[in-house]
């Protein structure tokens, strides 16, 4: 199927980039199967599909990083005919720019230096700092970013760093900007700034390909959406008129059932109680209870203190005041090791930076929380390690061919299952999950929801922090809204309304 230009756009609109009947194979994998795709000047095209659908390969064809086995790629009407690095250079010269999910900024350098990283303007061998700063300020102003070019990147907020990455690709008159999950690490309020920047870029006549799993954002910013599945383009739809269930069905190939069956198995037993917890400047007075079998959601804007709350409970940060009770008994002098010994597990917000060791195997990443359980007389046992890892892999449905496969080669969803699984291996009774579905596709999210519900049904208490309000009703028995240092709203299933939760989050902002 040949995707059409998004509804409402003139037929004569300039076609910036096109892929015609392209097929790409890797050993044992058909990554793209006779794909045809195009995007027009000034159009924002969402690119949707679960992991492995072919999105990354399509992007690599447009950037010239890959050569199709068959078919043609055109940028601004010119076919990319070169091979190797020359092909990527030709795509760049034709105006193709990409901002990947993993940011590439240098924290210790200034904004201007980062924007011109690797191609600083020179005259007579001397860097023209004044020119560089002036052009940097102009690029940032195009996105509504009012910052000093001399400021260090280390001082920027996550949203400002993402905007700086986008500003960098605006230098040099781009025709096509590709944004890969630009808001995956941002909460709703911060994501607004990025979406506003995308609208500004498109208004200048630049074509934008927007890769994201957040349907609410896609409806806000995109004119149309191309859905991929199993290496094929399934359809291109008008996102404003398409039902979410239709889009999910196109992505998955079938109707998507409930993400999790919310059976009320919450017991009266209190596993964790927090009383008047304070941690300046984020938390002023936080109190709540977590019961056995309960999934408790924590909602709030970026900077509301959600991560700090989990870290204070886990002993990663020392609270200024307050009490933590486990099984009805106060915890004194809590530290991370002591909380682990009490049956607590914590998955950090940044999976890639803090949650996994990419070059180590699934087994080592899984078993690190209790190596004694897979040791004989103080020596690690290969057979015990393999058996213990297989139990977790089967229990949480981790897709991996071998237990010693480097975890960095797994998809984001399967990596996250391992991060959760290490605490199942440790027999943890309370799990503190910080953004456990960040950066994973729709199918993996549904699987993680089901895993969380399963673990709760087994008698664990789970605190689920998420910046994606729409997923809270799918997995939580109860949701607390954290605002201005304290809880400012409570919702209980089945009456967890995402609009009401969002309103509670932004009240006063």
């Amino acid at each position: 199927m040949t995707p059409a230009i998004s509804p409402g756009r003139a037929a004569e609109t300039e076609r910036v980039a096109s892929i015609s009947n392209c097929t790409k194979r890797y050993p044992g994998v058909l990554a793209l199967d006779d794909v045809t795709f195009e995007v027009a000047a000034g159009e924002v095209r969402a690119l949707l599909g679960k992991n492995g659908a072919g999105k990354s390969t399509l992007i690599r064809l447009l950037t010239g990083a890959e050569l199709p086995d068959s078919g043609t790629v055109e940028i601004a009407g010119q076919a990319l005919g070169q091979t190797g690095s020359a092909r990527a250079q030709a795509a760049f010269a034709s105006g193709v720019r990409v901002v990947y999910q993993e940011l590439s900024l240098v924290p210790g350098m200034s904004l201007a230096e980062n924007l011109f990283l690797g191609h600083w303007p020179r005259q007579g061998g001397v860097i023209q700092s004044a020119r560089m700063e002036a052009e940097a300020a102009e690029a940032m102003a195009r996105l509504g970013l009012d910052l000093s070019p001399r400021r260090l990147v280390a001082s920027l907020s996550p949203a400002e760093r993402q905007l700086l990455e986008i500003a960098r690709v605006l230098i040099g008159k781009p025709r096509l900007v590709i944004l890969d999950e630009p808001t995956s690490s941002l909460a709703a309020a911060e994501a607004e700034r990025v979406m506003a920047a995308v609208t500004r870029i498109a208004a200048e006549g630049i074509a934008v390909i927007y890769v994201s799993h957040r349907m609410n954002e896609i409806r806000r910013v995109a004119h149309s959406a191309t859905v991929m599945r199993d290496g094929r383009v399934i359809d291109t739809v008008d996102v404003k008129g398409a039902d979410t269930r239709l889009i999910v069905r196109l992505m998955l190939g079938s109707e998507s059932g409930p993400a999790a069956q919310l059976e009320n198995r919450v017991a009266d037993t209190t596993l964790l109680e927090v009383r008047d917890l304070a941690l300046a400047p984020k938390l002023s007075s936080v109190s709540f209870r977590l019961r056995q079998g309960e999934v408790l959601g924590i909602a709030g804007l970026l900077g509301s203190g959600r991560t700090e709350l989990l870290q204070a409970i886990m002993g990663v940060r020392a609270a200024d005041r307050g009490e933590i009770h486990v099984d009805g008994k106060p915890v004194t002098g809590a530290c991370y090791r002591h909380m682990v010994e009490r049956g607590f597990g914590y998955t950090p917000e940044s999976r890639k930076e803090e949650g996994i060791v990419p070059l180590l195997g699934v087994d080592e990443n899984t078993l690190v929380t209790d190596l004694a359980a897979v040791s004989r007389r103080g020596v690690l046992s290969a057979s015990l390690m393999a058996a213990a890892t297989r139990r977790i892999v089967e229990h949480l449905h981790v897709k991996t061919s071998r237990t010693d496969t480097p975890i960095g080669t797994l998809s984001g969803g399967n990596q996250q299952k391992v991060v959760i699984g290490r605490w199942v291996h440790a027999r943890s009774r309370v799990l503190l999950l910080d953004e456990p579905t960040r950066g994973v596709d729709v199918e993996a999210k549904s699987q993680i929801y089901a895993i969380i519900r399963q673990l709760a049904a087994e008698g664990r208490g789970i605190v689920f922090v998420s910046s994606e309000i729409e997923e809270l009703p799918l997995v939580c028995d109860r949701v607390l809204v954290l605002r201005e240092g304290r809880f400012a709203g409570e919702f209980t299933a089945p009456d967890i309304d995402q609009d009401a939760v969002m309103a509670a989050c932004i009240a006063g902002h």
Side-chain angles (χ1 to χ4, degrees), residues 237-437:
V237 299
D238 175 6
V239 293
K240 292 179 174 59
D243 183 77
T244 298
R245 288 173 296 180
L246 167 65
I247 293 175
V248 171
R249 185 168 68 249
L250 292 173
M251 292 172 64
L252 302 181
S254 62
E255 283 282 4
S256 178
Q261 186 64 40
L262 297 185
E263 298 180 8
N264 190 344
R265 301 184 182 180
V266 179
D268 291 332
T269 305
T270 298
L271 298 179
L272 167 69
E273 183 178 2
V274 175
R275 300 178 183 174
D276 194 29
L277 188 72
L279 176 58
K282 300 289 187 177
L283 306 174
S284 58
S285 179
V286 171
S287 301
F288 70 94
R289 291 188 180 189
L290 175 69
R291 295 171 292 172
Q292 184 177 1
E294 181 180 28
V295 180
L296 175 63
I298 305 293
L301 300 179
L302 182 70
S304 61
R306 299 166 306 173
T307 294
E308 289 79 3
L309 173 60
L310 297 192
Q311 291 178 341
I313 295 171
M314 198 64 194
V316 176
R317 297 192 182 202
D320 299 328
R321 72 163 191 275
E323 300 177 11
I324 296 174
H325 293 246
V326 177
D327 298 325
K329 300 177 181 179
V331 175
T332 57
C335 67
Y336 184 86
R337 180 171 62 85
H338 291 156
M339 296 308 289
V340 171
E341 292 172 350
R342 288 180 169 88
F344 280 62
Y346 168 63
T347 67
E349 180 179 12
S350 176
R351 177 180 64 251
K352 291 189 176 181
E353 294 179 4
E354 302 174 16
I356 65 170
V357 183
L359 297 181
L360 294 184
V362 171
D363 49 3
E364 294 163 301
N365 275 277
T366 301
L367 307 175
V368 66
T369 49
D370 188 3
L371 294 175
V374 291
S375 301
R376 289 193 179 100
R377 297 180 180 178
V379 179
L380 289 173
S381 165
S383 61
L384 290 178
M385 290 178 66
T389 305
R390 277 195 298 271
R391 285 194 294 272
I392 299 300
V393 165
E394 293 170 2
H395 189 42
L396 303 189
H397 309 289
V398 179
K399 292 183 180 179
T400 178
S401 57
R402 296 169 54 94
T403 58
D404 59 356
T405 297
I407 194 173
T409 65
L410 271 57
S411 68
N414 284 297
Q415 290 177 10
Q416 189 64 57
K417 293 177 189 177
V418 172
V419 173
I420 296 172
R422 67 168 55 124
W423 297 112
V424 178
H425 169 68
R427 300 172 298 282
S428 300
R429 298 179 303 119
V430 176
L431 301 181
L432 309 178
L433 309 181
D434 196 353
E435 300 282 6
T437 64

Side-chain angles (χ1 to χ4, degrees), residues 179-197:
L179 303 177
D180 184 11
E181 296 280 2
T183 63
S184 64
S185 61
L186 306 178
E190 295 292 306
E192 289 286 344
R193 300 180 65 183
V194 175
M195 289 188 286

